[in-house]
Amino acid sequence: LNVVLAGGLLMRSLWGPVEAADLVIEGERVGEQAAGAPSFDASGCVIVPGHVCSHHHLYSALARAMPAPERSPRNFVEVLEMIWWRLDRALDAEAIRLSAELGSLEAALAGTTTIIDHHASPEAMEGSLDLVADALEAAGTRGAVCYEVSDRHGEDRGLAGVEENIRFAAANRRPLVRAMMGAHASFTIGPATLGALVDAARDVRAPIHIHVAEDAVDEEDSLDRYGQRVIHRLEAAGALAEGDLVAHGVCLDATEIGTLHDSGAWLAHNARSNMNNAVGYAPVQDAGDRVALGTDGIDGDMFAELRAAHLRAREVNPEAGGDDALRWLAGGSTFAARLFEEPLLGTLVPGAPADLTVLEYSAPTPFREANVAGHYLFGLGRWAVRDVMVAGRWLVRDRHHVVVDTEELASRCRAAAARLWTKMDEL
Ligand SMILES: [Zn+2]
C-alpha cells in the first residue's frame, strides 16, 4: 500500500511535536517520498502511533457479562478459583480461537495495534498458541503469545506448558507474531518447573512473561516455601533478564523494585484489573523507566487504561502528573520495539512499521507537544478512533473493522459463549 495521509495533525511519537504534516506510507512502513501516491483525507484528524497493550488475556473475551458465581469471592485466590481457573478449564479450541479473534478486533477498534497476550487453557493446551496466533493474524493485529506455565494441575502439566511454549516458539513463522515464555505466578510454580521454563526461555530466546506479586499470597508463599520474596526467588532462578515482562507487581517492596530495575525486565501495570480485584496499588511511581500498561484481559482499550492509571496514581499521590501515565503507555511501545526487533516501532518516522491510528479529533483547545497528556487524559478516547493501520494494512476504516466480519464473528461468539458458560457450570 502506498498512500499519503494528508491534511491532519501528526504525532510521530507520543512525546514528539504535534505537527501539521502529511504522513507517507510505503508498503509496510512509513516512507519519505510522496510522489504519485494516492491521498487519504485526514483533515480534522490526529495521526498517532498505534497503542500497545502490554498484558492481555484474550481468552477472557467470552467471559463478558457471564453470570457471577453463587457467592462473591472473598479474596484474590478465590477470584482465581471461582472464576478464571474455571473459565480456562472450560476452554476448547473453538472458544480459544473465537475469543482471541474477538479481543483482537475490539482492540483494533480502540486503536490498539499490538497485543502482548498471556494464554491459559489447561484442558486444550497443545496447539493452543497456534489458535491464538492464527486469530491475531486473521484480524491483522501485531502480537506476542505465550502459554501460562503452572503446576496447579500437577508438575507434569506444568512441564507440558513449557513444551507448548517451546513448540510454538520453534515453529512460528508469522511475520507479525512473536513468542514469549509464559508463566502463571511463583505461587503455582515449583522449583523443577521454574528451572525448566527458564532454561527453555533462554534456549529458544523467548522472553519470560509472568504475574508477580499481584496479591500478598504470592509473596507469602515464596517466603514460606523458599525463604525469599518473589522477585528474589525469580532472580536466583535466572528468571529475570532484559526484555522479560513482569505483570502487576502490586506487593513489591523497595528491594524488589531495585532488583527488578537492575535486571532490565519490564513491569506491566494493570490499574483497572488491580482495582477490580482489590489487590492494592502497584508502586509504579518508583519503578523507573521500564513500565508499560496492560489491561489484564478487561478489554483492549488503552485510552481507558491510561485514564484509570492516571486517576489511580493521583488518588495515591497528588503530585503524580499526567505525563507519568502517558510515559507508561509509551513504555509499551519501547518494550514491543525490542521484542519485535523493530527499534522504530511506536514511532511514525521514516522506516518505522506503519502501525497507526487516525483519531477524528478537532481539538477545541490548543493542542501541542506540551499538553498531549492533557488531551489524552481528558479529551481523547476510543470514541475518536476512525481508522487503524498495522504494518501498512488498513484494519479499521471509518470506524469499521474491514478485515473481520464483525457481525458474523459476534454471532459465532454468542453461541460459543453460551456453551462455554454451561461447561463452566458443570466444572
Ligand atoms: Zn494477567
Side-chain angles (χ1 to χ4, degrees):
L1 175 75
N2 289 346
V3 66
V4 181
L5 279 57
L9 293 176
L10 173 62
M11 287 168 48
R12 291 192 190 269
S13 79
L14 289 179
W15 294 115
V18 180
E19 323 164 50
D22 295 346
L23 182 68
V24 179
I25 307 300
E26 288 180 327
E28 298 179 0
R29 293 182 183 274
V30 175
E32 282 178 284
Q33 300 297 329
S39 180
F40 178 91
D41 183 13
S43 53
C45 297
V46 184
I47 304 164
V48 300
H51 294 159
V52 175
C53 176
S54 300
H55 182 68
H56 203 334
H57 297 286
L58 290 168
Y59 73 78
S60 67
L62 299 183
R64 182 181 309 170
M66 73 184 175
E70 280 171 26
R71 65 169 176 83
S72 287
R74 283 175 298 218
N75 54 50
F76 176 68
V77 172
E78 284 196 354
V79 169
L80 295 178
E81 288 174 347
M82 295 168 67
I83 301 173
W84 303 112
W85 291 353
R86 282 171 66 223
L87 173 73
D88 66 20
R89 283 173 59 212
L91 291 167
D92 59 16
E94 188 193 23
I96 293 167
R97 166 68 199 234
L98 285 173
S99 58
E101 195 162 331
L102 178 64
S104 303
L105 170 137
E106 293 192 336
L109 289 169
T112 298
T113 52
T114 298
I115 294 171
I116 310 298
D117 190 53
H118 198 274
H119 176 73
S121 54
E123 306 293 328
M125 186 189 293
E126 167 134 283
S128 60
L129 295 184
D130 285 312
L131 296 168
V132 178
D134 285 347
L136 285 165
E137 195 163 55
T141 308
R142 189 184 296 276
V145 304
C146 66
Y147 189 85
E148 175 185 289
V149 169
S150 171
D151 292 338
R152 66 178 175 264
H153 301 298
E155 192 178 285
D156 57 327
R157 300 303 290 154
L159 295 172
V162 175
E163 286 303 314
E164 173 61 9
N165 283 300
I166 295 173
R167 185 197 62 73
F168 180 82
N172 177 48
R173 298 285 178 272
R174 298 167 184 84
L176 297 181
V177 178
R178 292 292 179 274
M180 296 185 75
M181 174 66 61
H184 172 241
S186 172
F187 73 100
T188 73
I189 302 175
T193 301
L194 182 59
L197 89 83
V198 171
D199 289 348
R202 305 315 175 209
D203 191 37
V204 299
R205 305 171 71 84
I208 292 170
H209 183 180
I210 182 170
H211 298 103
V212 168
E214 182 173 359
D215 182 85
V217 69
D218 202 22
E219 294 286 10
E220 287 158 10
D221 175 86
S222 185
L223 284 166
D224 276 359
R225 286 204 283 168
Y226 312 108
Q228 290 172 300
R229 294 182 69 85
V230 175
I231 283 288
H232 302 136
R233 180 190 177 212
L234 295 179
E235 187 203 24
L240 277 185
E242 194 179 339
D244 289 340
L245 181 61
V246 158
H248 298 283
V250 172
C251 300
L252 298 183
D253 71 10
T255 64
E256 290 178 289
I257 291 265
T259 303
L260 176 65
H261 188 262
D262 292 347
S263 73
W266 284 74
L267 177 65
H269 177 46
N270 305 272
R272 290 182 299 167
S273 169
N274 293 343
M275 287 190 274
N276 191 41
N277 288 332
V279 290
Y281 185 62
V284 274
Q285 229 76 31
D286 307 322
D289 52 5
R290 280 187 300 275
V291 177
L293 293 183
T295 63
D296 203 27
I298 289 181
D299 59 21
D301 182 354
M302 301 314 294
F303 287 104
E305 195 63 47
L306 173 82
R307 187 175 291 198
H310 172 68
L311 296 175
R312 188 68 179 89
R314 295 275 306 162
E315 186 175 47
V316 172
N317 172 15
E319 291 178 8
D323 283 354
D324 292 340
L326 195 63
R327 182 165 51 83
W328 302 331
L329 178 61
S333 296
T334 310
F335 170 81
R338 184 189 187 282
L339 182 64
F340 281 84
E341 297 175 280
E342 286 279 6
L344 300 178
L345 188 67
T347 76
L348 295 175
V349 301
D355 291 16
L356 60 88
T357 297
V358 180
L359 301 167
E360 194 164 45
Y361 187 63
S362 287
T365 60
F367 188 4
R368 50 195 173 221
E369 183 171 359
N371 68 1
V372 167
H375 283 281
Y376 254 81
L377 289 166
F378 300 112
L380 288 164
R382 66 178 288 177
W383 61 268
V385 174
R386 195 188 73 177
D387 316 287
V388 178
M389 176 184 282
V390 171
R393 177 191 191 193
W394 288 117
L395 304 189
V396 177
R397 288 285 297 268
D398 205 14
R399 302 177 185 275
H400 293 281
H401 208 285
V402 292
V403 175
V404 175
D405 182 334
T406 306
E407 281 307 315
E408 197 248 357
L409 179 65
S411 160
R412 291 169 64 204
C413 284
R414 275 191 296 274
R419 285 195 296 276
L420 182 68
W421 297 358
T422 303
K423 203 164 156 195
M424 280 182 72
D425 267 348
E426 292 161 8
L427 287 173

